Amino acid sequence: MTIDDKTDRILIIGLKYGDEACFEQLFRKYYPRFRAYTYRLIHDNQQAEDILQNVFMKLWMNRLNIDENVSIVAYLFVLTRNEILNYIRYSRMHPLADGTEQGYEPTVNNEFFFNDLYAMVADIIEKKLPERRREIFKMNRFEHLSTTEIAARLGISPRTVEKQIELALKAIRSAVGPILCLLIAINFAQS
């Protein structure tokens, strides 16, 4: 666990006890990042501000249900994703709601989206996987070594290598699954 993760965990615990200073620190730390992310997806400053206000309001309102062992970044990604999807659905169902004649058609810059997803996966690999699992996963995915080669190099069984890769993939999938769902939903919505 990194120092940043420990700091976030302390802030989340404080948040759960209703400490407004902890909430404010989380807000100041993550609001700019998620504000920029939201704007890149919907290209509307006011709507991005409104969406993030809803996200942080929900963070405060649901503070008692937050697991302090879960990444706050992943939690905020899920909240933000849901708010963006709600906004897109509402925009499509009420095209004149924004006061224009044509309604707002949100667009997604897939390059930014995939860069965020890649950064999230890299963060999970570096910060969330145990050291040995991370080493095995990197040897397999980045050095393109087979399970037999990794087993021989590390002096462990090929089955152990397979299990470690399986556990690493499971951790990555569980963290990025909600983000992939958003990507798919937005791409279909734009079709």
Side-chain angles (χ1 to χ4, degrees), residues 98-126:
D98 64 358
T100 65
E101 288 185 25
Q102 295 182 325
Y104 178 73
E105 185 70 27
T107 60
V108 176
N109 185 330
N110 286 335
E111 182 179 343
F112 286 120
F113 206 76
F114 284 114
N115 287 342
D116 285 343
L117 185 61
Y118 181 82
M120 187 176 184
V121 170
D123 188 56
I124 292 165
I125 291 169
E126 291 303 320

mmCIF file of all heavy atoms in Angstrom, residues 98-126:
data_model
loop_
_atom_site.group_PDB
_atom_site.id
_atom_site.type_symbol
_atom_site.label_atom_id
_atom_site.label_comp_id
_atom_site.label_asym_id
_atom_site.label_seq_id
_atom_site.Cartn_x
_atom_site.Cartn_y
_atom_site.Cartn_z
ATOM 1 N N ASP A 98 -31.882 21.533 -22.942
ATOM 2 C CA ASP A 98 -30.780 22.470 -22.751
ATOM 3 C C ASP A 98 -31.074 23.847 -23.349
ATOM 4 O O ASP A 98 -30.235 24.725 -23.335
ATOM 5 C CB ASP A 98 -29.474 21.899 -23.309
ATOM 6 C CG ASP A 98 -29.524 21.696 -24.814
ATOM 7 O OD1 ASP A 98 -30.580 21.950 -25.425
ATOM 8 O OD2 ASP A 98 -28.491 21.288 -25.379
ATOM 9 N N GLY A 99 -32.283 24.035 -23.893
ATOM 10 C CA GLY A 99 -32.670 25.344 -24.397
ATOM 11 C C GLY A 99 -32.302 25.596 -25.851
ATOM 12 O O GLY A 99 -32.584 26.643 -26.393
ATOM 13 N N THR A 100 -31.662 24.646 -26.501
ATOM 14 C CA THR A 100 -31.312 24.816 -27.908
ATOM 15 C C THR A 100 -32.338 24.088 -28.754
ATOM 16 O O THR A 100 -33.124 23.275 -28.258
ATOM 17 C CB THR A 100 -29.907 24.242 -28.216
ATOM 18 O OG1 THR A 100 -29.962 22.824 -28.016
ATOM 19 C CG2 THR A 100 -28.850 24.866 -27.338
ATOM 20 N N GLU A 101 -32.318 24.346 -30.033
ATOM 21 C CA GLU A 101 -33.280 23.708 -30.909
ATOM 22 C C GLU A 101 -32.927 22.260 -31.207
ATOM 23 O O GLU A 101 -33.777 21.435 -31.423
ATOM 24 C CB GLU A 101 -33.382 24.482 -32.226
ATOM 25 C CG GLU A 101 -34.091 25.810 -32.043
ATOM 26 C CD GLU A 101 -34.288 26.501 -33.365
ATOM 27 O OE1 GLU A 101 -34.330 25.829 -34.403
ATOM 28 O OE2 GLU A 101 -34.398 27.729 -33.358
ATOM 29 N N GLN A 102 -31.630 21.941 -31.245
ATOM 30 C CA GLN A 102 -31.238 20.609 -31.667
ATOM 31 C C GLN A 102 -30.914 19.672 -30.520
ATOM 32 O O GLN A 102 -30.740 18.498 -30.733
ATOM 33 C CB GLN A 102 -30.022 20.685 -32.584
ATOM 34 C CG GLN A 102 -30.337 21.395 -33.882
ATOM 35 C CD GLN A 102 -29.136 21.402 -34.782
ATOM 36 O OE1 GLN A 102 -28.013 21.493 -34.323
ATOM 37 N NE2 GLN A 102 -29.373 21.306 -36.065
ATOM 38 N N GLY A 103 -30.780 20.151 -29.348
ATOM 39 C CA GLY A 103 -30.382 19.265 -28.254
ATOM 40 C C GLY A 103 -28.890 19.019 -28.278
ATOM 41 O O GLY A 103 -28.217 19.232 -29.277
ATOM 42 N N TYR A 104 -28.386 18.548 -27.210
ATOM 43 C CA TYR A 104 -26.951 18.324 -27.078
ATOM 44 C C TYR A 104 -26.606 16.886 -27.409
ATOM 45 O O TYR A 104 -27.240 15.969 -26.918
ATOM 46 C CB TYR A 104 -26.526 18.650 -25.639
ATOM 47 C CG TYR A 104 -25.075 18.400 -25.387
ATOM 48 C CD1 TYR A 104 -24.120 19.237 -25.915
ATOM 49 C CD2 TYR A 104 -24.675 17.302 -24.639
ATOM 50 C CE1 TYR A 104 -22.784 19.009 -25.699
ATOM 51 C CE2 TYR A 104 -23.342 17.068 -24.419
ATOM 52 C CZ TYR A 104 -22.392 17.917 -24.952
ATOM 53 O OH TYR A 104 -21.077 17.677 -24.734
ATOM 54 N N GLU A 105 -25.666 16.687 -28.257
ATOM 55 C CA GLU A 105 -25.227 15.352 -28.636
ATOM 56 C C GLU A 105 -23.836 15.122 -28.057
ATOM 57 O O GLU A 105 -22.840 15.628 -28.567
ATOM 58 C CB GLU A 105 -25.176 15.247 -30.170
ATOM 59 C CG GLU A 105 -24.849 13.861 -30.671
ATOM 60 C CD GLU A 105 -25.987 12.884 -30.431
ATOM 61 O OE1 GLU A 105 -27.143 13.301 -30.374
ATOM 62 O OE2 GLU A 105 -25.703 11.692 -30.288
ATOM 63 N N PRO A 106 -23.715 14.394 -26.937
ATOM 64 C CA PRO A 106 -22.426 14.190 -26.329
ATOM 65 C C PRO A 106 -21.515 13.339 -27.209
ATOM 66 O O PRO A 106 -21.979 12.448 -27.916
ATOM 67 C CB PRO A 106 -22.739 13.456 -25.023
ATOM 68 C CG PRO A 106 -24.116 12.961 -25.158
ATOM 69 C CD PRO A 106 -24.791 13.750 -26.211
ATOM 70 N N THR A 107 -20.238 13.642 -27.188
ATOM 71 C CA THR A 107 -19.262 12.869 -27.935
ATOM 72 C C THR A 107 -18.174 12.417 -26.986
ATOM 73 O O THR A 107 -17.944 13.009 -25.952
ATOM 74 C CB THR A 107 -18.632 13.709 -29.066
ATOM 75 O OG1 THR A 107 -17.982 14.832 -28.485
ATOM 76 C CG2 THR A 107 -19.671 14.162 -30.066
ATOM 77 N N VAL A 108 -17.513 11.366 -27.364
ATOM 78 C CA VAL A 108 -16.433 10.833 -26.553
ATOM 79 C C VAL A 108 -15.183 10.786 -27.398
ATOM 80 O O VAL A 108 -15.195 10.276 -28.508
ATOM 81 C CB VAL A 108 -16.768 9.403 -26.057
ATOM 82 C CG1 VAL A 108 -15.598 8.815 -25.301
ATOM 83 C CG2 VAL A 108 -17.998 9.431 -25.193
ATOM 84 N N ASN A 109 -14.128 11.317 -26.872
ATOM 85 C CA ASN A 109 -12.851 11.203 -27.540
ATOM 86 C C ASN A 109 -12.232 9.897 -27.048
ATOM 87 O O ASN A 109 -11.714 9.819 -25.947
ATOM 88 C CB ASN A 109 -11.967 12.401 -27.197
ATOM 89 C CG ASN A 109 -10.678 12.381 -27.956
ATOM 90 O OD1 ASN A 109 -10.161 11.320 -28.293
ATOM 91 N ND2 ASN A 109 -10.159 13.548 -28.246
ATOM 92 N N ASN A 110 -12.332 8.862 -27.878
ATOM 93 C CA ASN A 110 -11.903 7.530 -27.449
ATOM 94 C C ASN A 110 -10.446 7.470 -27.050
ATOM 95 O O ASN A 110 -10.070 6.700 -26.176
ATOM 96 C CB ASN A 110 -12.181 6.504 -28.546
ATOM 97 C CG ASN A 110 -13.647 6.176 -28.643
ATOM 98 O OD1 ASN A 110 -14.372 6.321 -27.668
ATOM 99 N ND2 ASN A 110 -14.077 5.746 -29.804
ATOM 100 N N GLU A 111 -9.598 8.283 -27.667
ATOM 101 C CA GLU A 111 -8.178 8.259 -27.311
ATOM 102 C C GLU A 111 -7.988 8.638 -25.841
ATOM 103 O O GLU A 111 -7.254 7.967 -25.110
ATOM 104 C CB GLU A 111 -7.391 9.214 -28.203
ATOM 105 C CG GLU A 111 -5.904 9.194 -27.926
ATOM 106 C CD GLU A 111 -5.141 10.124 -28.837
ATOM 107 O OE1 GLU A 111 -5.672 10.547 -29.876
ATOM 108 O OE2 GLU A 111 -3.990 10.426 -28.493
ATOM 109 N N PHE A 112 -8.666 9.691 -25.386
ATOM 110 C CA PHE A 112 -8.569 10.078 -23.982
ATOM 111 C C PHE A 112 -9.139 8.986 -23.087
ATOM 112 O O PHE A 112 -8.608 8.680 -22.031
ATOM 113 C CB PHE A 112 -9.314 11.387 -23.708
ATOM 114 C CG PHE A 112 -8.595 12.597 -24.223
ATOM 115 C CD1 PHE A 112 -9.193 13.420 -25.150
ATOM 116 C CD2 PHE A 112 -7.326 12.911 -23.769
ATOM 117 C CE1 PHE A 112 -8.543 14.543 -25.620
ATOM 118 C CE2 PHE A 112 -6.667 14.032 -24.235
ATOM 119 C CZ PHE A 112 -7.274 14.850 -25.162
ATOM 120 N N PHE A 113 -10.246 8.426 -23.511
ATOM 121 C CA PHE A 113 -10.910 7.405 -22.720
ATOM 122 C C PHE A 113 -10.002 6.191 -22.539
ATOM 123 O O PHE A 113 -9.841 5.676 -21.435
ATOM 124 C CB PHE A 113 -12.219 7.015 -23.407
ATOM 125 C CG PHE A 113 -13.236 6.487 -22.466
ATOM 126 C CD1 PHE A 113 -13.936 7.343 -21.651
ATOM 127 C CD2 PHE A 113 -13.487 5.131 -22.389
ATOM 128 C CE1 PHE A 113 -14.887 6.871 -20.770
ATOM 129 C CE2 PHE A 113 -14.435 4.647 -21.509
ATOM 130 C CZ PHE A 113 -15.134 5.525 -20.707
ATOM 131 N N PHE A 114 -9.393 5.725 -23.639
ATOM 132 C CA PHE A 114 -8.503 4.576 -23.557
ATOM 133 C C PHE A 114 -7.237 4.912 -22.771
ATOM 134 O O PHE A 114 -6.711 4.056 -22.065
ATOM 135 C CB PHE A 114 -8.164 4.044 -24.945
ATOM 136 C CG PHE A 114 -9.284 3.254 -25.554
ATOM 137 C CD1 PHE A 114 -9.943 3.720 -26.678
ATOM 138 C CD2 PHE A 114 -9.701 2.051 -24.996
ATOM 139 C CE1 PHE A 114 -10.988 2.996 -27.231
ATOM 140 C CE2 PHE A 114 -10.742 1.326 -25.542
ATOM 141 C CZ PHE A 114 -11.389 1.799 -26.662
ATOM 142 N N ASN A 115 -6.757 6.144 -22.883
ATOM 143 C CA ASN A 115 -5.595 6.548 -22.083
ATOM 144 C C ASN A 115 -5.922 6.494 -20.597
ATOM 145 O O ASN A 115 -5.101 6.039 -19.797
ATOM 146 C CB ASN A 115 -5.119 7.949 -22.469
ATOM 147 C CG ASN A 115 -4.423 7.969 -23.807
ATOM 148 O OD1 ASN A 115 -3.995 6.942 -24.320
ATOM 149 N ND2 ASN A 115 -4.311 9.151 -24.397
ATOM 150 N N ASP A 116 -7.113 6.947 -20.212
ATOM 151 C CA ASP A 116 -7.530 6.869 -18.813
ATOM 152 C C ASP A 116 -7.641 5.419 -18.365
ATOM 153 O O ASP A 116 -7.225 5.064 -17.266
ATOM 154 C CB ASP A 116 -8.868 7.574 -18.597
ATOM 155 C CG ASP A 116 -8.745 9.082 -18.616
ATOM 156 O OD1 ASP A 116 -7.621 9.588 -18.474
ATOM 157 O OD2 ASP A 116 -9.778 9.751 -18.765
ATOM 158 N N LEU A 117 -8.204 4.589 -19.221
ATOM 159 C CA LEU A 117 -8.356 3.178 -18.893
ATOM 160 C C LEU A 117 -6.992 2.511 -18.750
ATOM 161 O O LEU A 117 -6.743 1.770 -17.805
ATOM 162 C CB LEU A 117 -9.179 2.471 -19.979
ATOM 163 C CG LEU A 117 -9.523 1.017 -19.738
ATOM 164 C CD1 LEU A 117 -10.366 0.869 -18.480
ATOM 165 C CD2 LEU A 117 -10.281 0.460 -20.938
ATOM 166 N N TYR A 118 -6.089 2.815 -19.670
ATOM 167 C CA TYR A 118 -4.731 2.254 -19.607
ATOM 168 C C TYR A 118 -4.023 2.707 -18.329
ATOM 169 O O TYR A 118 -3.377 1.904 -17.647
ATOM 170 C CB TYR A 118 -3.926 2.680 -20.838
ATOM 171 C CG TYR A 118 -2.530 2.115 -20.837
ATOM 172 C CD1 TYR A 118 -2.291 0.812 -21.272
ATOM 173 C CD2 TYR A 118 -1.454 2.865 -20.382
ATOM 174 C CE1 TYR A 118 -1.017 0.278 -21.259
ATOM 175 C CE2 TYR A 118 -0.176 2.339 -20.358
ATOM 176 C CZ TYR A 118 0.040 1.046 -20.804
ATOM 177 O OH TYR A 118 1.299 0.524 -20.775
ATOM 178 N N ALA A 119 -4.167 3.985 -17.997
ATOM 179 C CA ALA A 119 -3.542 4.503 -16.768
ATOM 180 C C ALA A 119 -4.116 3.813 -15.538
ATOM 181 O O ALA A 119 -3.390 3.501 -14.590
ATOM 182 C CB ALA A 119 -3.734 6.011 -16.672
ATOM 183 N N MET A 120 -5.416 3.553 -15.558
ATOM 184 C CA MET A 120 -6.048 2.875 -14.426
ATOM 185 C C MET A 120 -5.515 1.449 -14.293
ATOM 186 O O MET A 120 -5.219 0.991 -13.184
ATOM 187 C CB MET A 120 -7.563 2.868 -14.614
ATOM 188 C CG MET A 120 -8.310 2.349 -13.426
ATOM 189 S SD MET A 120 -10.079 2.498 -13.741
ATOM 190 C CE MET A 120 -10.708 1.955 -12.183
ATOM 191 N N VAL A 121 -5.377 0.738 -15.415
ATOM 192 C CA VAL A 121 -4.845 -0.621 -15.384
ATOM 193 C C VAL A 121 -3.397 -0.608 -14.893
ATOM 194 O O VAL A 121 -3.013 -1.422 -14.047
ATOM 195 C CB VAL A 121 -4.957 -1.301 -16.767
ATOM 196 C CG1 VAL A 121 -4.185 -2.608 -16.806
ATOM 197 C CG2 VAL A 121 -6.415 -1.538 -17.128
ATOM 198 N N ALA A 122 -2.597 0.323 -15.391
ATOM 199 C CA ALA A 122 -1.201 0.423 -14.945
ATOM 200 C C ALA A 122 -1.129 0.693 -13.449
ATOM 201 O O ALA A 122 -0.290 0.124 -12.739
ATOM 202 C CB ALA A 122 -0.477 1.522 -15.728
ATOM 203 N N ASP A 123 -2.029 1.536 -12.958
ATOM 204 C CA ASP A 123 -2.080 1.853 -11.532
ATOM 205 C C ASP A 123 -2.445 0.612 -10.717
ATOM 206 O O ASP A 123 -1.853 0.358 -9.665
ATOM 207 C CB ASP A 123 -3.107 2.971 -11.295
ATOM 208 C CG ASP A 123 -3.088 3.485 -9.874
ATOM 209 O OD1 ASP A 123 -2.011 3.903 -9.412
ATOM 210 O OD2 ASP A 123 -4.159 3.476 -9.230
ATOM 211 N N ILE A 124 -3.385 -0.163 -11.209
ATOM 212 C CA ILE A 124 -3.786 -1.392 -10.516
ATOM 213 C C ILE A 124 -2.619 -2.364 -10.470
ATOM 214 O O ILE A 124 -2.327 -2.953 -9.426
ATOM 215 C CB ILE A 124 -5.002 -2.036 -11.203
ATOM 216 C CG1 ILE A 124 -6.234 -1.163 -11.025
ATOM 217 C CG2 ILE A 124 -5.261 -3.446 -10.670
ATOM 218 C CD1 ILE A 124 -7.367 -1.510 -11.953
ATOM 219 N N ILE A 125 -1.947 -2.525 -11.592
ATOM 220 C CA ILE A 125 -0.805 -3.450 -11.652
ATOM 221 C C ILE A 125 0.265 -3.032 -10.649
ATOM 222 O O ILE A 125 0.786 -3.857 -9.896
ATOM 223 C CB ILE A 125 -0.227 -3.517 -13.082
ATOM 224 C CG1 ILE A 125 -1.228 -4.206 -14.021
ATOM 225 C CG2 ILE A 125 1.113 -4.250 -13.095
ATOM 226 C CD1 ILE A 125 -0.873 -4.090 -15.491
ATOM 227 N N GLU A 126 0.603 -1.757 -10.622
ATOM 228 C CA GLU A 126 1.685 -1.284 -9.763
ATOM 229 C C GLU A 126 1.320 -1.196 -8.290
ATOM 230 O O GLU A 126 2.144 -1.460 -7.433
ATOM 231 C CB GLU A 126 2.190 0.085 -10.250
ATOM 232 C CG GLU A 126 2.913 0.030 -11.578
ATOM 233 C CD GLU A 126 4.108 -0.915 -11.588
ATOM 234 O OE1 GLU A 126 4.866 -0.968 -10.596
ATOM 235 O OE2 GLU A 126 4.267 -1.633 -12.592
#
